Amino acid sequence: MREKMPYEEDQLKILFTPEQIEEKISELGKIISDHYAGRELIMIGVLRGSTYFLIDLTRKMHIPFAIDFISISHYSEQADSTGVVRITKDLDLNITGKDVLIVEGIVDTGLSLGYLLRNLKTRNPASLKVCTLLNVEARRIVDVPVEYKGFDIANIFVVGYGLDYNERYRNLQFIAEFNRPK
Ligand code: IMP
Ligand code: MG
């Protein structure tokens, strides 16, 4: 059994079990493999929330591809809706002329992803699409195209399966609603 974590009983409410997550990722892996068969695919994980998802997703795929990672700073809570973020760790691979799939853990306001799409587009990939495990349509500020998504969720804060609260809870094997301490 996993270790107990502080606040667990009263603060975590399971939304998706490991079985539900695995089933969804198997479906996505198959769909994405079919869509990109015969192409030069680069899968880009957005650090750090997407890591568990990216790794499990790639293990469900049956076509060749490359993996790379990018890290961006988050806009501050006080920021306006311009979505000013910056790259804190850039890609190692050259994506020009390649089919690029950005893999995210969660798309919320869309501000980070909007920035990322604008930035990567200037490098002239052959195609640029997005796959996210969780999608919060109700929170959207920037209209970002999401080609592949796992689950739509309501406007709640979630942790687990890569997603954190203050860098904690990423290693939970399920995804849970988290009531942030006041
Ligand atoms: P966006 O720019 O508002 O779409 O937010 C994207 C980033 O915010 C994600 O990549 C996560 O790192 C973080 N984030 C947004 N919502 C949640 C949540 O409910 N739990 C944990 N992290 C979140
Ligand atoms: Mg975070």
Side-chain angles (χ1 to χ4, degrees), residues 70-88:
I70 196 164
S71 188
I72 54 179
S73 67
H74 290 291
Y75 54 89
S76 74
E77 293 281 319
Q78 290 78 38
D80 56 20
S81 57
T82 54
V84 177
V85 290
R86 71 194 164 86
I87 294 178
T88 53

mmCIF file of all heavy atoms in Angstrom, residues 70-88:
data_model
loop_
_atom_site.group_PDB
_atom_site.id
_atom_site.type_symbol
_atom_site.label_atom_id
_atom_site.label_comp_id
_atom_site.label_asym_id
_atom_site.label_seq_id
_atom_site.Cartn_x
_atom_site.Cartn_y
_atom_site.Cartn_z
ATOM 1 N N ILE A 70 9.971 20.178 -22.892
ATOM 2 C CA ILE A 70 10.126 21.629 -22.801
ATOM 3 C C ILE A 70 9.557 22.056 -21.454
ATOM 4 O O ILE A 70 8.645 21.399 -20.924
ATOM 5 C CB ILE A 70 9.408 22.328 -23.988
ATOM 6 C CG1 ILE A 70 9.883 23.767 -24.132
ATOM 7 C CG2 ILE A 70 7.885 22.257 -23.845
ATOM 8 C CD1 ILE A 70 9.535 24.397 -25.488
ATOM 9 N N SER A 71 10.104 23.115 -20.894
ATOM 10 C CA SER A 71 9.590 23.598 -19.617
ATOM 11 C C SER A 71 9.328 25.088 -19.721
ATOM 12 O O SER A 71 10.149 25.839 -20.247
ATOM 13 C CB SER A 71 10.615 23.307 -18.519
ATOM 14 O OG SER A 71 10.052 23.603 -17.263
ATOM 15 N N ILE A 72 8.162 25.507 -19.245
ATOM 16 C CA ILE A 72 7.844 26.936 -19.277
ATOM 17 C C ILE A 72 7.464 27.410 -17.882
ATOM 18 O O ILE A 72 6.936 26.641 -17.078
ATOM 19 C CB ILE A 72 6.695 27.240 -20.269
ATOM 20 C CG1 ILE A 72 5.470 26.380 -19.967
ATOM 21 C CG2 ILE A 72 7.136 27.035 -21.701
ATOM 22 C CD1 ILE A 72 4.313 26.643 -20.894
ATOM 23 N N SER A 73 7.755 28.671 -17.623
ATOM 24 C CA SER A 73 7.367 29.244 -16.335
ATOM 25 C C SER A 73 5.882 29.571 -16.413
ATOM 26 O O SER A 73 5.351 29.848 -17.482
ATOM 27 C CB SER A 73 8.151 30.526 -16.073
ATOM 28 O OG SER A 73 7.752 31.506 -17.013
ATOM 29 N N HIS A 74 5.204 29.505 -15.276
ATOM 30 C CA HIS A 74 3.793 29.857 -15.279
ATOM 31 C C HIS A 74 3.624 31.341 -15.085
ATOM 32 O O HIS A 74 4.353 31.964 -14.331
ATOM 33 C CB HIS A 74 3.047 29.098 -14.179
ATOM 34 C CG HIS A 74 2.946 27.640 -14.482
ATOM 35 N ND1 HIS A 74 2.175 27.152 -15.494
ATOM 36 C CD2 HIS A 74 3.547 26.579 -13.930
ATOM 37 C CE1 HIS A 74 2.303 25.843 -15.548
ATOM 38 N NE2 HIS A 74 3.137 25.463 -14.605
ATOM 39 N N TYR A 75 2.669 31.899 -15.779
ATOM 40 C CA TYR A 75 2.270 33.288 -15.534
ATOM 41 C C TYR A 75 1.819 33.372 -14.079
ATOM 42 O O TYR A 75 1.377 32.379 -13.494
ATOM 43 C CB TYR A 75 1.095 33.642 -16.453
ATOM 44 C CG TYR A 75 -0.028 32.662 -16.311
ATOM 45 C CD1 TYR A 75 -1.029 32.864 -15.363
ATOM 46 C CD2 TYR A 75 -0.045 31.484 -17.068
ATOM 47 C CE1 TYR A 75 -2.015 31.923 -15.183
ATOM 48 C CE2 TYR A 75 -1.038 30.544 -16.881
ATOM 49 C CZ TYR A 75 -2.011 30.772 -15.941
ATOM 50 O OH TYR A 75 -2.979 29.831 -15.746
ATOM 51 N N SER A 76 1.905 34.540 -13.492
ATOM 52 C CA SER A 76 1.497 34.661 -12.087
ATOM 53 C C SER A 76 -0.016 34.783 -11.987
ATOM 54 O O SER A 76 -0.692 35.131 -12.953
ATOM 55 C CB SER A 76 2.160 35.878 -11.457
ATOM 56 O OG SER A 76 1.540 37.049 -11.935
ATOM 57 N N GLU A 77 -0.525 34.486 -10.827
ATOM 58 C CA GLU A 77 -1.973 34.536 -10.590
ATOM 59 C C GLU A 77 -2.519 35.936 -10.878
ATOM 60 O O GLU A 77 -3.656 36.099 -11.291
ATOM 61 C CB GLU A 77 -2.285 34.169 -9.135
ATOM 62 C CG GLU A 77 -1.984 32.717 -8.786
ATOM 63 C CD GLU A 77 -3.070 31.760 -9.270
ATOM 64 O OE1 GLU A 77 -4.243 32.129 -9.137
ATOM 65 O OE2 GLU A 77 -2.730 30.690 -9.800
ATOM 66 N N GLN A 78 -1.660 36.927 -10.630
ATOM 67 C CA GLN A 78 -2.115 38.313 -10.799
ATOM 68 C C GLN A 78 -2.063 38.766 -12.260
ATOM 69 O O GLN A 78 -2.593 39.804 -12.607
ATOM 70 C CB GLN A 78 -1.241 39.278 -9.972
ATOM 71 C CG GLN A 78 -1.433 39.172 -8.471
ATOM 72 C CD GLN A 78 -0.701 37.955 -7.893
ATOM 73 O OE1 GLN A 78 0.390 37.635 -8.338
ATOM 74 N NE2 GLN A 78 -1.320 37.278 -6.948
ATOM 75 N N ALA A 79 -1.406 37.973 -13.073
ATOM 76 C CA ALA A 79 -1.181 38.410 -14.450
ATOM 77 C C ALA A 79 -2.502 38.616 -15.186
ATOM 78 O O ALA A 79 -3.521 38.042 -14.832
ATOM 79 C CB ALA A 79 -0.346 37.377 -15.193
ATOM 80 N N ASP A 80 -2.457 39.437 -16.199
ATOM 81 C CA ASP A 80 -3.643 39.611 -17.025
ATOM 82 C C ASP A 80 -3.729 38.446 -18.008
ATOM 83 O O ASP A 80 -3.014 37.461 -17.885
ATOM 84 C CB ASP A 80 -3.607 40.958 -17.748
ATOM 85 C CG ASP A 80 -2.348 41.119 -18.592
ATOM 86 O OD1 ASP A 80 -1.720 40.089 -18.908
ATOM 87 O OD2 ASP A 80 -2.006 42.249 -18.914
ATOM 88 N N SER A 81 -4.576 38.553 -18.996
ATOM 89 C CA SER A 81 -4.803 37.411 -19.875
ATOM 90 C C SER A 81 -3.883 37.405 -21.094
ATOM 91 O O SER A 81 -4.177 36.778 -22.090
ATOM 92 C CB SER A 81 -6.263 37.400 -20.331
ATOM 93 O OG SER A 81 -6.550 38.620 -20.968
ATOM 94 N N THR A 82 -2.753 38.113 -21.004
ATOM 95 C CA THR A 82 -1.852 38.097 -22.147
ATOM 96 C C THR A 82 -1.073 36.788 -22.215
ATOM 97 O O THR A 82 -0.507 36.461 -23.251
ATOM 98 C CB THR A 82 -0.839 39.266 -22.079
ATOM 99 O OG1 THR A 82 -0.183 39.210 -20.809
ATOM 100 C CG2 THR A 82 -1.541 40.594 -22.241
ATOM 101 N N GLY A 83 -1.050 36.058 -21.129
ATOM 102 C CA GLY A 83 -0.380 34.761 -21.140
ATOM 103 C C GLY A 83 1.112 34.877 -21.305
ATOM 104 O O GLY A 83 1.738 34.134 -22.051
ATOM 105 N N VAL A 84 1.715 35.817 -20.616
ATOM 106 C CA VAL A 84 3.160 35.976 -20.720
ATOM 107 C C VAL A 84 3.847 34.916 -19.875
ATOM 108 O O VAL A 84 3.776 34.932 -18.659
ATOM 109 C CB VAL A 84 3.617 37.382 -20.277
ATOM 110 C CG1 VAL A 84 5.134 37.493 -20.328
ATOM 111 C CG2 VAL A 84 2.981 38.430 -21.177
ATOM 112 N N VAL A 85 4.456 33.974 -20.539
ATOM 113 C CA VAL A 85 5.250 32.957 -19.871
ATOM 114 C C VAL A 85 6.573 32.891 -20.617
ATOM 115 O O VAL A 85 6.719 33.504 -21.667
ATOM 116 C CB VAL A 85 4.552 31.571 -19.892
ATOM 117 C CG1 VAL A 85 3.339 31.560 -18.999
ATOM 118 C CG2 VAL A 85 4.169 31.178 -21.296
ATOM 119 N N ARG A 86 7.545 32.181 -20.051
ATOM 120 C CA ARG A 86 8.796 32.059 -20.808
ATOM 121 C C ARG A 86 9.302 30.631 -20.726
ATOM 122 O O ARG A 86 8.946 29.882 -19.822
ATOM 123 C CB ARG A 86 9.822 33.072 -20.329
ATOM 124 C CG ARG A 86 10.368 32.751 -18.983
ATOM 125 C CD ARG A 86 11.124 33.893 -18.343
ATOM 126 N NE ARG A 86 11.242 33.580 -16.929
ATOM 127 C CZ ARG A 86 12.222 32.825 -16.431
ATOM 128 N NH1 ARG A 86 13.164 32.353 -17.203
ATOM 129 N NH2 ARG A 86 12.240 32.526 -15.147
ATOM 130 N N ILE A 87 10.138 30.283 -21.686
ATOM 131 C CA ILE A 87 10.708 28.942 -21.728
ATOM 132 C C ILE A 87 11.873 28.870 -20.752
ATOM 133 O O ILE A 87 12.789 29.681 -20.826
ATOM 134 C CB ILE A 87 11.177 28.603 -23.156
ATOM 135 C CG1 ILE A 87 9.951 28.523 -24.079
ATOM 136 C CG2 ILE A 87 11.963 27.306 -23.175
ATOM 137 C CD1 ILE A 87 10.275 28.250 -25.520
ATOM 138 N N THR A 88 11.825 27.929 -19.812
ATOM 139 C CA THR A 88 12.921 27.787 -18.856
ATOM 140 C C THR A 88 13.833 26.615 -19.232
ATOM 141 O O THR A 88 14.961 26.533 -18.770
ATOM 142 C CB THR A 88 12.388 27.577 -17.428
ATOM 143 O OG1 THR A 88 11.471 26.485 -17.436
ATOM 144 C CG2 THR A 88 11.663 28.818 -16.934
#
